[in-house]
Amino acid sequence: MSISRADRLAHLWEVSAQPYHRHTREHPSHRQITTLLISTLTTEPTRVLDFGCGPGNSTRVLRRQLPDAHLVGLDTAQAMIDIAEQATPAEAKIEYRCQDITTGRTDEPRDLIVCSNSFFHIDDKQTLLAELDRLLTADGTIVFSLYDTVFRPDTTPRWPLEQPSPGPRPDPLMDLLVAELRRRGHDITTRSEDRQILTDDSLSALFTGCGMAVRCAGTLRLVRDTTERVSFLRIPAVAAEVFPNIPHETVGDALDALDLTSPLPPRTRTVYAFAATREQP
Ligand SMILES: C[S@@+](CC[C@H](N)C(=O)[O-])C[C@H]1O[C@@H](n2cnc3c(N)ncnc32)[C@H](O)[C@@H]1O
């Protein structure tokens, strides 16, 4: 019996909970992304939803920066919610809910919806946006982050964006990993990652479709060393995105086999923060 893509992704997030939690505890660069998203706000929100809250890293950053807001963290993976609940002190007053945003029904209106590293993980963006639109108050804001692996500014950018450096950049770690996977019999001729690539135009069209305007509100450069990148690639959901046709366990075994004794250059990623609000008639 073949398992649906949605069920496969849901399973991958469940088994990613512990590795993701460990990774983000040891390499806190992810929290900078939530901080960047908050820094783009122009009003003080009172009812906040952290969609795709994972083990609660982003939700706890939100709590620190918005101490008086009513705060809900929502995630589809029960294992993520369990960790979030354990890792959050009761006095933080964060309510965590296990729910798939695209099928669930969260009914309280929110004046801020935060998607910190979660927007790009949802395949069906139309359904996601319809749900976010339904939850958002008339003057509310949706903020979300996109890595330069999933967002490519058009050649004539509509927003003042930091452009990723043109052309393919050397990536010795990925070269070593691909060589090891090939040695194990995996036919990687062209790497096709399991990621939808958004552009200025496709993003604008998505939001315009539900009466919203979206703009790039900030950027961040994240420098990740080899240890951090290896730890990230060990997360099953990440391995499955980068190598969709190879079991994540095999990617983990191949990472174990790499000789990383000689230092490799760190990798710089650009993270884009976007803010979407309703267009005034
Ligand atoms: C990369 S983690 C981000 C966690 C956290 N926001 C952070 O910044 O560290 C993405 C999260 O989105 C969740 N997710 C994926 N699809 C979802 C869906 N349809 N509904 C709710 N959460 C979902 C995953 O379970 C995962 O915990």
Side-chain angles (χ1 to χ4, degrees):
M1 197 181 70
S2 71
I3 145 169
S4 75
R5 178 175 163 80
D7 286 348
R8 191 176 73 86
L9 291 177
H11 171 73
L12 278 167
W13 283 118
E14 287 290 347
V15 296
S16 293
Q18 282 297 348
Y20 187 80
H21 179 47
R22 243 187 336 266
H23 170 79
T24 50
R25 232 180 12 205
E26 285 162 19
H27 306 283
S29 67
H30 275 67
R31 285 180 223 147
Q32 293 176 47
I33 299 175
T34 316
T35 305
L36 169 73
L37 291 175
I38 299 169
S39 74
T40 67
L41 299 179
T42 50
T43 53
E44 174 96 17
T46 56
R47 300 185 69 81
V48 180
L49 176 70
D50 182 19
F51 143 64
C53 64
N57 311 316
S58 44
T59 335
R60 288 186 295 276
V61 172
L62 286 164
R63 169 51 78 223
R64 279 195 290 281
Q65 311 239 358
L66 305 169
D68 299 324
H70 179 264
L71 184 50
V72 172
L74 183 146
D75 202 284
T76 190
Q78 183 63 55
M80 292 280 189
I81 293 294
D82 290 346
I83 296 173
E85 283 175 339
Q86 281 158 21
T88 305
E91 57 274 21
K93 293 206 174 75
I94 296 174
E95 186 187 330
Y96 289 108
R97 292 186 196 158
C98 185
Q99 193 178 305
D100 179 338
I101 188 95
T102 58
T103 57
R105 286 273 149 197
T106 302
D107 277 320
E108 311 90 356
R110 301 276 145 189
D111 54 2
L112 175 65
I113 302 177
V114 179
C115 320
S116 179
N117 298 314
S118 53
F119 187 83
F120 50 91
H121 289 301
I122 307 296
D123 284 344
D124 183 353
K125 305 254 178 343
Q126 309 267 11
T127 304
L128 170 65
L129 276 184
E131 181 62 8
L132 298 185
D133 179 35
R134 200 182 62 77
L135 290 173
L136 198 68
T137 56
D139 56 356
T141 305
I142 301 171
V143 290
F144 60 100
S145 61
L146 296 177
Y147 286 103
D148 56 12
T149 44
V150 288
F151 175 73
R152 305 269 152 79
D154 295 338
T155 33
T156 315
R158 179 167 308 156
W159 304 296
L161 289 173
E162 194 161 347
Q163 296 282 346
S165 23
R169 287 171 286 174
D171 188 351
L173 172 65
M174 207 40 93
D175 292 347
L176 283 176
L177 180 56
V178 167
E180 178 59 29
L181 289 166
R182 283 196 182 125
R183 205 183 61 71
R184 288 163 185 256
H186 291 282
D187 177 22
I188 310 174
T189 35
T190 51
R191 265 183 60 215
S192 68
E193 298 196 9
D194 192 10
R195 307 178 201 254
Q196 282 174 342
I197 308 293
L198 293 156
T199 63
D200 319 49
D201 280 345
S202 62
L203 254 189
S204 288
L206 264 174
F207 281 89
T208 309
C210 46
M212 279 190 242
V214 64
R215 68 189 170 86
C216 181
T219 57
L220 171 69
R221 290 264 191 198
L222 284 184
V223 182
R224 288 179 164 160
D225 65 15
T226 303
T227 313
E228 178 165 2
R229 292 185 67 205
V230 168
S231 155
F232 195 51
L233 284 163
R234 283 187 195 285
I235 299 166
V238 175
E241 269 184 356
V242 177
F243 298 103
N245 301 319
I246 302 178
H248 66 84
E249 295 89 346
T250 308
V251 177
D253 291 345
L255 285 166
D256 287 341
L258 297 186
D259 176 4
L260 299 173
T261 42
S262 314
L264 299 176
R267 192 107 172 121
T268 304
R269 289 260 81 102
T270 301
V271 179
Y272 299 97
F274 290 91
T277 48
R278 290 184 202 290
E279 281 179 305
Q280 298 306 319

